[in-house]
Amino acid sequence: MEHNQPDGRLVEPRGLGRPAGLPADQTTVRRSNLSLVLRHVSERGQCSRSAVAIETGLNKTTITSLVGELQARGLLKEIGPQHAGSVGRPSLALTLDGARVGALGVEVNVDYVAAFATDLAGRVLIDRRIGFDAMGAGPGRSLGKLSQVIDKAVTDLDRLGVALAGITVAIPGLVNAATGTVVVAPNLGWHQVPLVDRLKSAGISARVPVTIDNDANLAALAEYTSGVAMGTPDLVYLTGEVGVGCGIISGGRPLSGADGFAGEVGHVVVDPSGERCGCGRTGCWETKVGLAALVRMAVPDHAYGTDRHLLRDPEERLAEIDQRRAEGDPRVDAAITEVGRWLGRGTALLINLFNPRAVVLGGYFARLADRLIPVAQTELDGLGMTAVTGRCRFLASTLGFGAAARGAVNVVIQRVLSDPTTIAIRRS
């Protein structure tokens, strides 16, 4: 625990690793206080300096110094004057200076590359998705495409006068975030790809922090912070892409596991006599409920891998399925029903394991939620423990296929809020 001194300094108590009597490192103290003020304004909204001083326990002199530095870094600004209904001179209010600092999230998936950027205040600056056959391109060409997408986004942000705070890349597979390596992404055909190093060698600025994470973990974070289950401390996020991703929020925190590999439910074997999976095993859950499985059952003549000239964007796949259904093709409803059954069966296991209050369906699951959820719920009711499943509900995500990129942006923003000194002071 930390304590505020009368002069506003933040000092660690004795007995926690520092010899008694030695002062706290002033750089660390100031960084902590900058974060305290920036987070306070971010969470509370517009507020005066005096209110920040009272609510954080820092004195006014310290607040003046900290606010000055945060303004110089382009993170805070003052607006006003503000009339609070009280007698006396109106005061200026502090608010996030979002227009000057931005965060970029990028996602590589089997059939597209997506880029999403916001400023610090959450204003959307970039939101695009480019169809790309990453599954057929291999890691070399895919990373080349990823570099192009990032370069264009960085150029666009620079044109807007926005300083980029960092980049987080979402990958559908197991990643080692500490080393920036994709350990394995079965549906991409990637193994031990040093993604961060490759991006830097391709010209992505070494001055901009680049990190990677699992796409479903990042999408779950986006749902928790700004989606249909916002603020729900215990939730499971399931994304339907070519594969199936799962992100878990437990007690308000992402559940990542010892090596960061928690949530790989798409490769849980549910049918040993089923289809061969991209991971090399047979009968994985994603072979039953992934978008590739739906396409294989609903429009087998256009299944994945049958025509390399087909555009790979998942929205086009779904549009074709909708068209076939409108034309009366009975295979479409039968395929959706089959996916719904297996979705319910797998979800029953997840609810019994993690006891969430919500299961958020993303990706193509969300697009077909009105038809998938009733079937999945019926299956779930027959398999799950009533005391547990009865208190959990299915929700359809509204974030679309860009949920992972949105979560990636949140990671960058949280890094800035935790350490504002990562943003350089602007010289006038």
Side-chain angles (χ1 to χ4, degrees), residues 41-72:
V41 176
S42 173
E43 294 168 2
R44 188 184 185 280
Q46 298 178 13
C47 51
S48 66
R49 293 189 186 208
S50 58
V52 174
I54 293 170
E55 292 164 10
T56 62
L58 300 171
N59 67 37
K60 292 184 178 180
T61 302
T62 302
I63 290 294
T64 297
S65 175
L66 296 171
V67 167
E69 181 173 338
L70 291 169
Q71 288 175 312

PDB file of all heavy atoms in Angstrom, residues 41-72:
ATOM      1  N   VAL A  41      -8.950  11.822 -14.133  1.00  0.00           N
ATOM      2  CA  VAL A  41      -9.695  12.622 -15.104  1.00  0.00           C
ATOM      3  C   VAL A  41     -10.357  11.715 -16.140  1.00  0.00           C
ATOM      4  O   VAL A  41     -11.497  11.944 -16.546  1.00  0.00           O
ATOM      5  CB  VAL A  41      -8.762  13.639 -15.785  1.00  0.00           C
ATOM      6  CG1 VAL A  41      -9.509  14.405 -16.877  1.00  0.00           C
ATOM      7  CG2 VAL A  41      -8.185  14.609 -14.760  1.00  0.00           C
ATOM      8  N   SER A  42      -9.655  10.636 -16.549  1.00  0.00           N
ATOM      9  CA  SER A  42     -10.210   9.707 -17.527  1.00  0.00           C
ATOM     10  C   SER A  42     -11.482   9.046 -17.006  1.00  0.00           C
ATOM     11  O   SER A  42     -12.461   8.893 -17.740  1.00  0.00           O
ATOM     12  CB  SER A  42      -9.165   8.650 -17.878  1.00  0.00           C
ATOM     13  OG  SER A  42      -9.706   7.648 -18.705  1.00  0.00           O
ATOM     14  N   GLU A  43     -11.474   8.638 -15.749  1.00  0.00           N
ATOM     15  CA  GLU A  43     -12.605   7.913 -15.180  1.00  0.00           C
ATOM     16  C   GLU A  43     -13.726   8.835 -14.708  1.00  0.00           C
ATOM     17  O   GLU A  43     -14.900   8.500 -14.808  1.00  0.00           O
ATOM     18  CB  GLU A  43     -12.117   7.048 -14.019  1.00  0.00           C
ATOM     19  CG  GLU A  43     -11.182   5.923 -14.467  1.00  0.00           C
ATOM     20  CD  GLU A  43     -10.483   5.248 -13.306  1.00  0.00           C
ATOM     21  OE1 GLU A  43     -10.756   5.631 -12.143  1.00  0.00           O
ATOM     22  OE2 GLU A  43      -9.660   4.344 -13.551  1.00  0.00           O
ATOM     23  N   ARG A  44     -13.357  10.012 -14.191  1.00  0.00           N
ATOM     24  CA  ARG A  44     -14.362  10.914 -13.613  1.00  0.00           C
ATOM     25  C   ARG A  44     -14.977  11.841 -14.639  1.00  0.00           C
ATOM     26  O   ARG A  44     -16.108  12.290 -14.514  1.00  0.00           O
ATOM     27  CB  ARG A  44     -13.726  11.738 -12.493  1.00  0.00           C
ATOM     28  CG  ARG A  44     -14.710  12.570 -11.678  1.00  0.00           C
ATOM     29  CD  ARG A  44     -13.962  13.422 -10.670  1.00  0.00           C
ATOM     30  NE  ARG A  44     -14.839  14.165  -9.778  1.00  0.00           N
ATOM     31  CZ  ARG A  44     -15.448  15.291 -10.106  1.00  0.00           C
ATOM     32  NH1 ARG A  44     -15.314  15.789 -11.314  1.00  0.00           N
ATOM     33  NH2 ARG A  44     -16.223  15.921  -9.233  1.00  0.00           N
ATOM     34  N   GLY A  45     -14.229  12.158 -15.697  1.00  0.00           N
ATOM     35  CA  GLY A  45     -14.700  13.142 -16.657  1.00  0.00           C
ATOM     36  C   GLY A  45     -14.216  14.526 -16.263  1.00  0.00           C
ATOM     37  O   GLY A  45     -13.303  14.692 -15.463  1.00  0.00           O
ATOM     38  N   GLN A  46     -14.833  15.544 -16.827  1.00  0.00           N
ATOM     39  CA  GLN A  46     -14.409  16.916 -16.578  1.00  0.00           C
ATOM     40  C   GLN A  46     -14.429  17.250 -15.088  1.00  0.00           C
ATOM     41  O   GLN A  46     -15.418  16.994 -14.398  1.00  0.00           O
ATOM     42  CB  GLN A  46     -15.311  17.891 -17.332  1.00  0.00           C
ATOM     43  CG  GLN A  46     -15.262  17.740 -18.845  1.00  0.00           C
ATOM     44  CD  GLN A  46     -16.193  18.689 -19.556  1.00  0.00           C
ATOM     45  OE1 GLN A  46     -16.709  19.638 -18.968  1.00  0.00           O
ATOM     46  NE2 GLN A  46     -16.440  18.431 -20.827  1.00  0.00           N
ATOM     47  N   CYS A  47     -13.348  17.818 -14.604  1.00  0.00           N
ATOM     48  CA  CYS A  47     -13.274  18.196 -13.195  1.00  0.00           C
ATOM     49  C   CYS A  47     -12.198  19.262 -13.024  1.00  0.00           C
ATOM     50  O   CYS A  47     -11.258  19.359 -13.806  1.00  0.00           O
ATOM     51  CB  CYS A  47     -12.974  16.993 -12.299  1.00  0.00           C
ATOM     52  SG  CYS A  47     -11.549  16.017 -12.820  1.00  0.00           S
ATOM     53  N   SER A  48     -12.356  20.081 -11.992  1.00  0.00           N
ATOM     54  CA  SER A  48     -11.422  21.174 -11.737  1.00  0.00           C
ATOM     55  C   SER A  48     -10.152  20.649 -11.073  1.00  0.00           C
ATOM     56  O   SER A  48     -10.117  19.540 -10.536  1.00  0.00           O
ATOM     57  CB  SER A  48     -12.072  22.215 -10.840  1.00  0.00           C
ATOM     58  OG  SER A  48     -12.308  21.668  -9.551  1.00  0.00           O
ATOM     59  N   ARG A  49      -9.125  21.477 -11.087  1.00  0.00           N
ATOM     60  CA  ARG A  49      -7.888  21.111 -10.414  1.00  0.00           C
ATOM     61  C   ARG A  49      -8.107  20.907  -8.925  1.00  0.00           C
ATOM     62  O   ARG A  49      -7.558  19.983  -8.324  1.00  0.00           O
ATOM     63  CB  ARG A  49      -6.830  22.204 -10.625  1.00  0.00           C
ATOM     64  CG  ARG A  49      -6.361  22.350 -12.055  1.00  0.00           C
ATOM     65  CD  ARG A  49      -5.177  23.297 -12.113  1.00  0.00           C
ATOM     66  NE  ARG A  49      -4.792  23.562 -13.502  1.00  0.00           N
ATOM     67  CZ  ARG A  49      -3.571  23.871 -13.894  1.00  0.00           C
ATOM     68  NH1 ARG A  49      -2.604  23.952 -12.992  1.00  0.00           N
ATOM     69  NH2 ARG A  49      -3.298  24.113 -15.151  1.00  0.00           N
ATOM     70  N   SER A  50      -8.917  21.798  -8.333  1.00  0.00           N
ATOM     71  CA  SER A  50      -9.153  21.670  -6.890  1.00  0.00           C
ATOM     72  C   SER A  50      -9.881  20.369  -6.567  1.00  0.00           C
ATOM     73  O   SER A  50      -9.595  19.717  -5.560  1.00  0.00           O
ATOM     74  CB  SER A  50      -9.960  22.874  -6.375  1.00  0.00           C
ATOM     75  OG  SER A  50     -11.205  22.968  -7.064  1.00  0.00           O
ATOM     76  N   ALA A  51     -10.799  19.939  -7.458  1.00  0.00           N
ATOM     77  CA  ALA A  51     -11.502  18.680  -7.229  1.00  0.00           C
ATOM     78  C   ALA A  51     -10.538  17.504  -7.331  1.00  0.00           C
ATOM     79  O   ALA A  51     -10.602  16.554  -6.537  1.00  0.00           O
ATOM     80  CB  ALA A  51     -12.639  18.520  -8.237  1.00  0.00           C
ATOM     81  N   VAL A  52      -9.617  17.560  -8.295  1.00  0.00           N
ATOM     82  CA  VAL A  52      -8.623  16.494  -8.438  1.00  0.00           C
ATOM     83  C   VAL A  52      -7.752  16.422  -7.194  1.00  0.00           C
ATOM     84  O   VAL A  52      -7.446  15.336  -6.686  1.00  0.00           O
ATOM     85  CB  VAL A  52      -7.752  16.717  -9.697  1.00  0.00           C
ATOM     86  CG1 VAL A  52      -6.632  15.682  -9.750  1.00  0.00           C
ATOM     87  CG2 VAL A  52      -8.596  16.640 -10.955  1.00  0.00           C
ATOM     88  N   ALA A  53      -7.362  17.597  -6.667  1.00  0.00           N
ATOM     89  CA  ALA A  53      -6.530  17.632  -5.467  1.00  0.00           C
ATOM     90  C   ALA A  53      -7.249  16.987  -4.282  1.00  0.00           C
ATOM     91  O   ALA A  53      -6.680  16.165  -3.561  1.00  0.00           O
ATOM     92  CB  ALA A  53      -6.145  19.069  -5.135  1.00  0.00           C
ATOM     93  N   ILE A  54      -8.503  17.344  -4.097  1.00  0.00           N
ATOM     94  CA  ILE A  54      -9.273  16.811  -2.976  1.00  0.00           C
ATOM     95  C   ILE A  54      -9.466  15.303  -3.110  1.00  0.00           C
ATOM     96  O   ILE A  54      -9.281  14.536  -2.167  1.00  0.00           O
ATOM     97  CB  ILE A  54     -10.641  17.524  -2.875  1.00  0.00           C
ATOM     98  CG1 ILE A  54     -10.443  18.991  -2.480  1.00  0.00           C
ATOM     99  CG2 ILE A  54     -11.547  16.813  -1.877  1.00  0.00           C
ATOM    100  CD1 ILE A  54     -11.707  19.825  -2.585  1.00  0.00           C
ATOM    101  N   GLU A  55      -9.814  14.852  -4.322  1.00  0.00           N
ATOM    102  CA  GLU A  55     -10.192  13.455  -4.523  1.00  0.00           C
ATOM    103  C   GLU A  55      -9.000  12.514  -4.642  1.00  0.00           C
ATOM    104  O   GLU A  55      -9.132  11.309  -4.439  1.00  0.00           O
ATOM    105  CB  GLU A  55     -11.089  13.356  -5.753  1.00  0.00           C
ATOM    106  CG  GLU A  55     -12.448  14.032  -5.531  1.00  0.00           C
ATOM    107  CD  GLU A  55     -13.202  14.291  -6.824  1.00  0.00           C
ATOM    108  OE1 GLU A  55     -12.775  13.779  -7.876  1.00  0.00           O
ATOM    109  OE2 GLU A  55     -14.214  15.031  -6.777  1.00  0.00           O
ATOM    110  N   THR A  56      -7.825  13.051  -4.961  1.00  0.00           N
ATOM    111  CA  THR A  56      -6.636  12.200  -5.035  1.00  0.00           C
ATOM    112  C   THR A  56      -5.767  12.303  -3.793  1.00  0.00           C
ATOM    113  O   THR A  56      -4.891  11.462  -3.572  1.00  0.00           O
ATOM    114  CB  THR A  56      -5.762  12.567  -6.255  1.00  0.00           C
ATOM    115  OG1 THR A  56      -5.304  13.919  -6.114  1.00  0.00           O
ATOM    116  CG2 THR A  56      -6.536  12.388  -7.549  1.00  0.00           C
ATOM    117  N   GLY A  57      -5.978  13.344  -2.989  1.00  0.00           N
ATOM    118  CA  GLY A  57      -5.158  13.540  -1.795  1.00  0.00           C
ATOM    119  C   GLY A  57      -3.861  14.268  -2.057  1.00  0.00           C
ATOM    120  O   GLY A  57      -3.045  14.436  -1.138  1.00  0.00           O
ATOM    121  N   LEU A  58      -3.634  14.718  -3.290  1.00  0.00           N
ATOM    122  CA  LEU A  58      -2.437  15.484  -3.624  1.00  0.00           C
ATOM    123  C   LEU A  58      -2.704  16.970  -3.376  1.00  0.00           C
ATOM    124  O   LEU A  58      -3.829  17.436  -3.551  1.00  0.00           O
ATOM    125  CB  LEU A  58      -2.049  15.254  -5.084  1.00  0.00           C
ATOM    126  CG  LEU A  58      -1.724  13.811  -5.484  1.00  0.00           C
ATOM    127  CD1 LEU A  58      -1.563  13.707  -7.000  1.00  0.00           C
ATOM    128  CD2 LEU A  58      -0.477  13.323  -4.777  1.00  0.00           C
ATOM    129  N   ASN A  59      -1.659  17.720  -2.993  1.00  0.00           N
ATOM    130  CA  ASN A  59      -1.897  19.137  -2.732  1.00  0.00           C
ATOM    131  C   ASN A  59      -1.936  19.934  -4.028  1.00  0.00           C
ATOM    132  O   ASN A  59      -1.543  19.449  -5.099  1.00  0.00           O
ATOM    133  CB  ASN A  59      -0.875  19.716  -1.742  1.00  0.00           C
ATOM    134  CG  ASN A  59       0.530  19.755  -2.305  1.00  0.00           C
ATOM    135  OD1 ASN A  59       0.733  20.019  -3.481  1.00  0.00           O
ATOM    136  ND2 ASN A  59       1.512  19.499  -1.449  1.00  0.00           N
ATOM    137  N   LYS A  60      -2.407  21.170  -3.961  1.00  0.00           N
ATOM    138  CA  LYS A  60      -2.658  21.965  -5.151  1.00  0.00           C
ATOM    139  C   LYS A  60      -1.373  22.293  -5.906  1.00  0.00           C
ATOM    140  O   LYS A  60      -1.368  22.356  -7.139  1.00  0.00           O
ATOM    141  CB  LYS A  60      -3.411  23.242  -4.779  1.00  0.00           C
ATOM    142  CG  LYS A  60      -4.835  22.977  -4.305  1.00  0.00           C
ATOM    143  CD  LYS A  60      -5.590  24.272  -4.038  1.00  0.00           C
ATOM    144  CE  LYS A  60      -7.027  23.980  -3.604  1.00  0.00           C
ATOM    145  NZ  LYS A  60      -7.795  25.233  -3.334  1.00  0.00           N
ATOM    146  N   THR A  61      -0.296  22.510  -5.159  1.00  0.00           N
ATOM    147  CA  THR A  61       0.970  22.806  -5.827  1.00  0.00           C
ATOM    148  C   THR A  61       1.430  21.623  -6.669  1.00  0.00           C
ATOM    149  O   THR A  61       1.880  21.773  -7.814  1.00  0.00           O
ATOM    150  CB  THR A  61       2.049  23.162  -4.788  1.00  0.00           C
ATOM    151  OG1 THR A  61       1.607  24.287  -4.024  1.00  0.00           O
ATOM    152  CG2 THR A  61       3.373  23.479  -5.469  1.00  0.00           C
ATOM    153  N   THR A  62       1.316  20.435  -6.094  1.00  0.00           N
ATOM    154  CA  THR A  62       1.687  19.223  -6.830  1.00  0.00           C
ATOM    155  C   THR A  62       0.783  19.032  -8.040  1.00  0.00           C
ATOM    156  O   THR A  62       1.249  18.686  -9.129  1.00  0.00           O
ATOM    157  CB  THR A  62       1.593  17.996  -5.909  1.00  0.00           C
ATOM    158  OG1 THR A  62       2.456  18.194  -4.790  1.00  0.00           O
ATOM    159  CG2 THR A  62       1.985  16.723  -6.636  1.00  0.00           C
ATOM    160  N   ILE A  63      -0.517  19.266  -7.873  1.00  0.00           N
ATOM    161  CA  ILE A  63      -1.464  19.133  -8.985  1.00  0.00           C
ATOM    162  C   ILE A  63      -1.100  20.090 -10.110  1.00  0.00           C
ATOM    163  O   ILE A  63      -1.111  19.713 -11.297  1.00  0.00           O
ATOM    164  CB  ILE A  63      -2.905  19.395  -8.507  1.00  0.00           C
ATOM    165  CG1 ILE A  63      -3.394  18.267  -7.604  1.00  0.00           C
ATOM    166  CG2 ILE A  63      -3.844  19.570  -9.696  1.00  0.00           C
ATOM    167  CD1 ILE A  63      -3.540  16.933  -8.301  1.00  0.00           C
ATOM    168  N   THR A  64      -0.751  21.315  -9.769  1.00  0.00           N
ATOM    169  CA  THR A  64      -0.381  22.291 -10.794  1.00  0.00           C
ATOM    170  C   THR A  64       0.805  21.803 -11.609  1.00  0.00           C
ATOM    171  O   THR A  64       0.817  21.885 -12.842  1.00  0.00           O
ATOM    172  CB  THR A  64      -0.037  23.641 -10.138  1.00  0.00           C
ATOM    173  OG1 THR A  64      -1.201  24.146  -9.472  1.00  0.00           O
ATOM    174  CG2 THR A  64       0.423  24.651 -11.194  1.00  0.00           C
ATOM    175  N   SER A  65       1.818  21.248 -10.939  1.00  0.00           N
ATOM    176  CA  SER A  65       2.995  20.739 -11.623  1.00  0.00           C
ATOM    177  C   SER A  65       2.653  19.535 -12.496  1.00  0.00           C
ATOM    178  O   SER A  65       3.084  19.439 -13.652  1.00  0.00           O
ATOM    179  CB  SER A  65       4.066  20.357 -10.591  1.00  0.00           C
ATOM    180  OG  SER A  65       5.168  19.746 -11.220  1.00  0.00           O
ATOM    181  N   LEU A  66       1.871  18.606 -11.961  1.00  0.00           N
ATOM    182  CA  LEU A  66       1.520  17.399 -12.707  1.00  0.00           C
ATOM    183  C   LEU A  66       0.658  17.726 -13.920  1.00  0.00           C
ATOM    184  O   LEU A  66       0.876  17.192 -15.021  1.00  0.00           O
ATOM    185  CB  LEU A  66       0.790  16.409 -11.797  1.00  0.00           C
ATOM    186  CG  LEU A  66       1.589  15.840 -10.622  1.00  0.00           C
ATOM    187  CD1 LEU A  66       0.669  15.052  -9.695  1.00  0.00           C
ATOM    188  CD2 LEU A  66       2.732  14.957 -11.118  1.00  0.00           C
ATOM    189  N   VAL A  67      -0.320  18.608 -13.728  1.00  0.00           N
ATOM    190  CA  VAL A  67      -1.194  18.987 -14.835  1.00  0.00           C
ATOM    191  C   VAL A  67      -0.394  19.673 -15.932  1.00  0.00           C
ATOM    192  O   VAL A  67      -0.598  19.431 -17.128  1.00  0.00           O
ATOM    193  CB  VAL A  67      -2.339  19.887 -14.343  1.00  0.00           C
ATOM    194  CG1 VAL A  67      -3.071  20.536 -15.524  1.00  0.00           C
ATOM    195  CG2 VAL A  67      -3.327  19.079 -13.509  1.00  0.00           C
ATOM    196  N   GLY A  68       0.553  20.500 -15.531  1.00  0.00           N
ATOM    197  CA  GLY A  68       1.394  21.172 -16.515  1.00  0.00           C
ATOM    198  C   GLY A  68       2.162  20.186 -17.371  1.00  0.00           C
ATOM    199  O   GLY A  68       2.260  20.341 -18.598  1.00  0.00           O
ATOM    200  N   GLU A  69       2.696  19.143 -16.732  1.00  0.00           N
ATOM    201  CA  GLU A  69       3.429  18.143 -17.498  1.00  0.00           C
ATOM    202  C   GLU A  69       2.496  17.333 -18.393  1.00  0.00           C
ATOM    203  O   GLU A  69       2.833  17.025 -19.545  1.00  0.00           O
ATOM    204  CB  GLU A  69       4.201  17.216 -16.569  1.00  0.00           C
ATOM    205  CG  GLU A  69       5.010  16.168 -17.329  1.00  0.00           C
ATOM    206  CD  GLU A  69       5.928  15.341 -16.460  1.00  0.00           C
ATOM    207  OE1 GLU A  69       6.282  15.797 -15.353  1.00  0.00           O
ATOM    208  OE2 GLU A  69       6.299  14.220 -16.876  1.00  0.00           O
ATOM    209  N   LEU A  70       1.322  16.965 -17.879  1.00  0.00           N
ATOM    210  CA  LEU A  70       0.374  16.198 -18.695  1.00  0.00           C
ATOM    211  C   LEU A  70      -0.123  17.016 -19.881  1.00  0.00           C
ATOM    212  O   LEU A  70      -0.374  16.468 -20.963  1.00  0.00           O
ATOM    213  CB  LEU A  70      -0.806  15.737 -17.827  1.00  0.00           C
ATOM    214  CG  LEU A  70      -0.459  14.671 -16.780  1.00  0.00           C
ATOM    215  CD1 LEU A  70      -1.616  14.485 -15.803  1.00  0.00           C
ATOM    216  CD2 LEU A  70      -0.102  13.348 -17.443  1.00  0.00           C
ATOM    217  N   GLN A  71      -0.245  18.328 -19.696  1.00  0.00           N
ATOM    218  CA  GLN A  71      -0.606  19.186 -20.823  1.00  0.00           C
ATOM    219  C   GLN A  71       0.522  19.221 -21.849  1.00  0.00           C
ATOM    220  O   GLN A  71       0.283  19.165 -23.062  1.00  0.00           O
ATOM    221  CB  GLN A  71      -0.905  20.606 -20.322  1.00  0.00           C
ATOM    222  CG  GLN A  71      -2.220  20.724 -19.553  1.00  0.00           C
ATOM    223  CD  GLN A  71      -2.430  22.108 -18.981  1.00  0.00           C
ATOM    224  OE1 GLN A  71      -1.521  22.671 -18.363  1.00  0.00           O
ATOM    225  NE2 GLN A  71      -3.610  22.661 -19.185  1.00  0.00           N
ATOM    226  N   ALA A  72       1.762  19.298 -21.372  1.00  0.00           N
ATOM    227  CA  ALA A  72       2.912  19.342 -22.273  1.00  0.00           C
ATOM    228  C   ALA A  72       3.047  18.046 -23.073  1.00  0.00           C
ATOM    229  O   ALA A  72       3.570  18.045 -24.187  1.00  0.00           O
ATOM    230  CB  ALA A  72       4.183  19.613 -21.478  1.00  0.00           C
TER     231      ALA A  72
END
